[in-house]
Amino acid sequence: MADDEGTAEKPSYEQARDELTEVVKRLEAGGLTLEESLGLWERGEKLAAVCEEWLEGARARLAAALDRPGDGDAAAPF
């Protein structure tokens, strides 16, 4: 698990999503050994967790922006 966690930055949401898509395609295509499949599955789980972390952060930022007092009280300028 320490393969590149300490040396690489956390990928962006888009990078993690794209790599996860490729992992899923490879798993669905089949023809892999059990060990290769397990390695890809583990990588996919890690990438899914990264995506979820980014999405949770985005949800929190949206909630904070929508919860600001006074923002919804004024009439829209148009």
Side-chain angles (χ1 to χ4, degrees):
M1 212 192 262
D3 47 4
D4 54 336
E5 281 182 29
T7 59
E9 269 185 42
K10 179 173 96 169
S12 70
Y13 171 79
E14 291 79 7
Q15 290 169 329
R17 181 202 58 213
D18 292 346
E19 186 178 345
L20 180 56
T21 299
E22 289 303 313
V23 166
V24 170
K25 285 179 185 176
R26 288 184 61 197
L27 286 169
E28 287 177 340
L32 303 169
T33 65
L34 178 59
E35 193 63 33
E36 290 168 331
S37 295
L38 287 172
L40 281 174
W41 180 269
E42 290 168 344
R43 180 65 181 156
E45 288 290 329
K46 186 184 293 186
L47 291 165
V50 169
C51 288
E52 185 62 30
E53 188 177 329
W54 278 109
L55 291 172
E56 285 299 320
R59 285 184 195 106
R61 288 176 61 189
L62 284 171
L66 293 173
D67 200 29
R68 289 186 187 144
D71 282 355
D73 296 338
F78 26 55

